[in-house]
Amino acid sequence: MASRRVGDLVEKAAAQQGLRNDPSQRPFNNGNAQDPPLLRPNRAPNHVLLYPGCFNPPHKGHLALLNQVLRNAGADLSLAAAVIVLTDDDKLAAKNRKEERPLLLSKARRAALWREAGITGDRVWVFGGSEDSWKGLRGQLQRNLARQKIDLRFLLLVGPDWISVRSATDPKSWGCVEAVTSDISRPAAFRCPNSLRQLPKCSLWAPCSYQSSGQPSMAVAETPCETPADGSNSAPGLVYASTAVVSTCQTLRKPLRRYRFVPCELGDRPQGEAPSSTEIRRIIATCGREQLEGELAKVALSPSLLAMYALEGGPYTAPAPRASPPDHETRKLRAAADVKW
């Protein structure tokens, strides 16, 4: 009988694509895990989180987002595993080309910072290859699984600043139909105290649970919405935030895109400013050697290793958000301004 272990299936697809794999970084650690992730057969839907990003460098908010969705939506979405895909080095350099001397960590170093942070080896895999090689591997994997009548779908994991009342990112850019987010690391602009504000060109948010058939069951909450925290009148398109783990909405017209939200308890969110890679690079550019590791420990993953990387290549210039065209950090500031806690 063919293996249904995710790690075995990924390794086979990688070999078919001619991709070399470091034996110490086997996909999902399937050789050592006592409970390796399995895929459900007979065309029952299986989901894998696809978590792409620059992660230059990765921070505690990145890890909190990943853990929140894996822990609190895994059963609802039949999440088998998660794959972290890092932006290619040349794209990262192009993104920061206007800075005088930016901190640009190589893909190998960014991957090492993730792995050193102690992410769950049997559920999360840091893919160290190029973005193009990931696309080839993914296609090969899905073709192989189709022959075994295994339905594997990828869900794009993004921060809440990419899904807002202004606009929602199209998951198709990463070959996905669905995107999922949470507000565990930073506020979501569409979340009011007890309600979720409708996304542009999308249906109302509704609680979602999966039945035995594997098809999503959706029901719009009928409880009237409360007044937003800013005291303004309730706007059309607001429904109660469900007590269910996952809420979902979808585009009203084709092409179909679905968005999922995994809310956190408001008391679970860390106090103070949300962590960001931009802020970490600013710390590295402005802190002295004696202060560096202590400051990094507050926000960064693997602060000791990151401090070592920073001291090897510095000094760096402090990053500055660009307003036109708006960069990722500027979009975060806009999203924060839209929040109605």
Side-chain angles (χ1 to χ4, degrees):
M1 181 177 177
S3 173
R4 292 188 291 113
R5 301 203 308 185
V6 179
D8 292 340
L9 295 166
V10 170
E11 283 196 322
K12 177 181 177 181
Q16 291 172 306
Q17 287 290 304
L19 299 177
R20 295 181 178 181
N21 185 53
D22 184 346
S24 66
Q25 302 297 337
R26 299 186 67 190
F28 307 104
N29 199 24
N30 64 323
N32 301 318
Q34 295 181 358
D35 184 24
L38 303 175
L39 296 181
R40 301 187 300 170
N42 303 321
R43 303 197 186 282
N46 299 275
H47 292 96
V48 169
L49 286 178
L50 177 59
Y51 194 10
C54 294
F55 304 118
N56 183 48
H59 55 68
K60 291 182 178 181
H62 291 138
L63 181 58
L65 175 62
L66 177 62
N67 285 337
Q68 173 76 356
V69 174
L70 281 176
R71 292 172 180 171
N72 296 293
D76 286 339
L77 298 177
S78 301
L79 285 176
V83 181
I84 296 171
V85 179
L86 301 140
T87 300
D88 292 338
D89 290 343
D90 58 341
K91 291 184 179 180
L92 182 64
K95 180 181 177 181
N96 296 274
R97 65 185 181 279
K98 293 185 178 180
E99 295 186 22
E100 183 179 347
R101 186 175 172 79
L103 171 68
L104 298 175
L105 296 169
S106 68
K107 178 174 291 192
R109 290 190 166 188
R110 286 176 278 145
L113 291 168
W114 266 111
R115 294 172 183 140
E116 185 74 12
I119 56 177
T120 307
D122 61 340
R123 288 309 209 201
V124 181
W125 180 39
V126 181
F127 178 71
S130 69
E131 294 179 40
D132 285 341
S133 64
W134 161 252
K135 293 176 183 177
L137 172 59
R138 170 183 166 160
Q140 184 68 58
L141 176 63
Q142 291 183 308
R143 289 192 296 273
N144 292 350
L145 293 178
R147 299 187 190 102
Q148 299 182 38
K149 298 182 179 180
I150 294 178
D151 181 7
L152 178 63
R153 308 173 189 179
F154 286 88
L155 269 67
L156 184 67
L157 178 61
V158 294
D161 48 307
W162 289 99
I163 300 177
S164 73
V165 293
R166 293 174 182 265
S167 63
T169 188
D170 188 349
K172 191 63 176 179
S173 60
W174 279 91
C176 302
V177 173
E178 305 182 32
V180 59
T181 192
S182 174
D183 58 346
I184 186 66
S185 62
R186 66 174 61 251
F190 54 83
R191 183 178 182 180
C192 295
N194 295 293
S195 57
L196 297 179
R197 191 176 293 275
Q198 189 175 10
L199 301 184
K201 301 180 181 180
C202 289
S203 63
L204 299 177
W205 289 97
C208 177
S209 62
Y210 274 80
Q211 302 171 332
S212 58
S213 65
Q215 297 301 316
S217 173
M218 297 174 58
V220 176
E222 297 179 352
T223 313
C225 116
E226 291 186 356
T227 302
D230 62 358
S232 60
N233 293 328
S234 299
L238 279 157
V239 298
Y240 253 120
S242 169
T243 56
V245 170
V246 180
S247 293
T248 186
C249 69
Q250 63 186 40
T251 51
L252 295 171
R253 297 181 179 179
K254 293 182 179 179
L256 174 66
R257 302 289 184 263
R258 185 173 289 114
Y259 299 94
R260 302 186 187 276
F261 177 57
V262 185
C264 72
E265 294 293 335
L266 297 186
D268 293 341
R269 290 190 67 250
Q271 301 300 311
E273 293 293 325
S276 73
S277 297
T278 302
E279 180 59 28
I280 294 175
R281 295 197 299 274
R282 186 172 289 110
I283 289 172
I284 291 173
T286 57
C287 283
R289 179 185 296 263
E290 296 77 11
Q291 300 172 299
L292 183 58
E293 187 171 339
E295 291 299 311
L296 291 178
K298 299 176 183 178
V299 288
L301 298 187
S302 310
S304 297
L305 182 59
L306 178 57
M308 183 185 75
Y309 290 159
L311 292 172
E312 284 181 2
Y316 303 99
T317 52
R322 295 183 297 276
S324 181
D327 67 356
H328 186 43
E329 191 67 17
T330 304
R331 283 194 293 268
K332 290 179 183 177
L333 294 174
R334 286 181 179 177
D338 287 333
V339 170
K340 303 288 190 298
W341 284 106

